[in-house]
Amino acid sequence: KKPRIGSVEESGHGEESPSKTTRIELRTNKPLKNSEDIHMDVWRIILTYAPLKFLLDAKTINHRFNRLLAEESTVWCSSRINQYSDDMPGPPGQMTEQRYAQLLEGRGCQSKGCSKKSTGKVYWAFCLRLCKDCLEKRTMKEETLKGYILLHQAHYGLLTLLRAAVVDGGKYSRCRQINSSTGTWEGTNAGAVYLTSDVNAIVEEYERLVREGKDDAAISAWRDKKMEEVKALTLQIAAIEAWDKTRGVSPPSYREERKAFFIEQAKSLNPPIREAALKKMLAYK
């Protein structure tokens, strides 16, 4: 049904006859129909207060919402802060707010062709949500890489320019981190695990520089730049993983401490309020 149109009379001035305007009555039982009658600037404000999961669904409502959410990164950022507070780390590296929301609230393995739609585990070291099988297919340990991708000794040092994961008992533990005192990568007993696509990309980039005839100084400068980038990215990922561990954990309510505080303050009033009377007050409850 079309929105109901009602007449609204406005006061005239002098001898002029009253003019009539129309007013659209928005109906709560027809939210999608109403959405077409609301300017997108209004929706932009409304959506900043919506949870991230709703924004992911809202993209599929119609073309207007899809276009708005594709163009407005501020909507995603405001929604994330409203949902999780501004204490939450922002997206790592060059990641967009929309892709960050996909990792935080989405479901399903992100490997192309994988049919597992319920996967929820995010491996922040690689900024990917993967099922266990795809994680094993897409990553390799250092020893394995030396036999398949790293063809000679010059390639081995390229691994220091990549993000990596630390495994514990064969299971993903966390992102590999920089030792704050030495500025070098931490050592691990089981060794680091690398994303195969990252290794292929860095080897190809290095080989391209060699083919172009770059001298040692140019290659060294390239290494330094890559190292700074991966260090900055790793620090961001470590902050996200630390936050993710506390995600969903309710803060302490301090109920007993608050109770004791109000009882003590009530006793200090003139005249004082006894605890028995305090418990009958709605404000105290």
Side-chain angles (χ1 to χ4, degrees):
K1 296 180 180 179
K2 294 183 178 180
R4 292 176 294 178
I5 306 298
S7 297
V8 180
E9 293 189 358
E10 296 180 349
S11 299
H13 298 279
E15 300 298 327
E16 297 178 3
S17 60
S19 61
K20 292 184 179 182
T21 59
T22 57
R23 180 182 64 209
I24 299 176
E25 296 184 10
L26 302 179
R27 302 172 61 182
T28 57
N29 63 334
K30 295 288 184 180
L32 298 187
K33 181 65 178 178
N34 293 159
S35 70
E36 298 175 4
D37 301 317
I38 301 176
H39 197 278
M40 292 311 290
D41 284 342
V42 178
W43 279 118
R44 184 179 290 106
I45 298 173
I46 293 173
L47 291 175
T48 60
Y49 295 95
L52 290 176
K53 186 172 178 57
F54 176 80
L55 295 188
L56 295 176
D57 294 335
K59 288 182 61 182
T60 65
I61 291 178
N62 54 40
H63 292 294
R64 299 173 75 219
F65 279 97
N66 187 289
R67 184 170 59 253
L68 171 66
L69 292 172
E71 297 172 351
E72 287 290 338
S73 61
T74 54
V75 172
W76 296 91
C77 181
S78 298
S79 172
R80 175 177 60 80
I81 292 174
N82 286 331
Q83 183 173 348
Y84 293 114
S85 86
D86 54 3
D87 293 331
M88 176 190 181
Q94 302 299 315
M95 182 182 294
T96 64
E97 285 282 352
Q98 185 172 342
R99 184 168 170 237
Y100 196 30
Q102 282 281 1
L103 291 176
L104 291 167
E105 300 293 338
R107 284 291 181 272
C109 180
Q110 292 182 315
S111 279
K112 186 177 180 180
C114 184
S115 60
K116 296 180 180 178
K117 304 299 183 183
S118 60
T119 302
K121 174 66 175 178
V122 176
Y123 296 95
W124 288 108
F126 309 124
C127 297
L128 287 170
R129 184 173 57 251
L130 300 170
C131 65
K132 184 178 179 181
D133 293 337
C134 289
L135 177 68
E136 294 179 356
K137 292 177 183 177
R138 297 184 61 171
T139 59
M140 287 187 183
K141 291 184 178 180
E142 183 174 346
E143 295 77 11
T144 309
L145 288 170
K146 289 180 179 179
Y148 285 88
I149 300 177
L150 306 180
L151 304 180
H152 48 76
Q153 189 69 33
H155 287 163
Y156 297 166
L158 297 177
L159 293 181
T160 62
L161 309 180
L162 298 176
R163 56 189 174 176
V166 175
V167 293
D168 185 11
K171 295 182 179 180
Y172 175 87
S173 176
R174 55 183 171 77
C175 178
R176 181 180 61 169
Q177 299 177 10
I178 296 286
N179 188 308
S180 57
S181 59
T182 63
T184 58
W185 292 112
E186 62 177 342
T188 60
N189 295 329
V193 176
Y194 301 84
L195 199 63
T196 307
S197 58
D198 283 352
V199 180
N200 283 321
I202 199 73
V203 169
E204 173 58 29
E205 191 171 353
Y206 171 78
E207 289 297 328
R208 179 176 55 79
L209 294 175
V210 173
R211 290 194 300 270
E212 292 174 354
K214 301 295 184 181
D215 57 18
D216 292 343
I219 293 179
S220 179
W222 170 77
R223 285 178 178 272
D224 292 342
K225 181 181 178 182
K226 286 291 183 181
M227 191 64 184
E228 291 302 316
E229 290 175 354
V230 74
K231 281 184 176 181
L233 179 61
T234 297
L235 289 174
Q236 290 177 301
I237 291 174
I240 293 173
E241 287 190 323
W243 169 85
D244 199 33
K245 290 181 180 179
T246 63
R247 182 183 176 187
V249 178
S250 300
S253 63
Y254 300 107
R255 182 180 180 85
E256 293 302 319
E257 289 84 347
R258 290 188 291 116
K259 177 181 176 181
F261 171 79
F262 280 106
I263 292 174
E264 187 65 28
Q265 293 297 312
K267 288 180 180 179
S268 65
L269 296 176
N270 186 19
I273 300 176
R274 294 177 301 164
E275 182 178 348
L278 198 65
K279 290 181 178 179
K280 295 181 180 181
M281 296 182 179
L282 181 61
Y284 171 75
K285 294 179 180 180

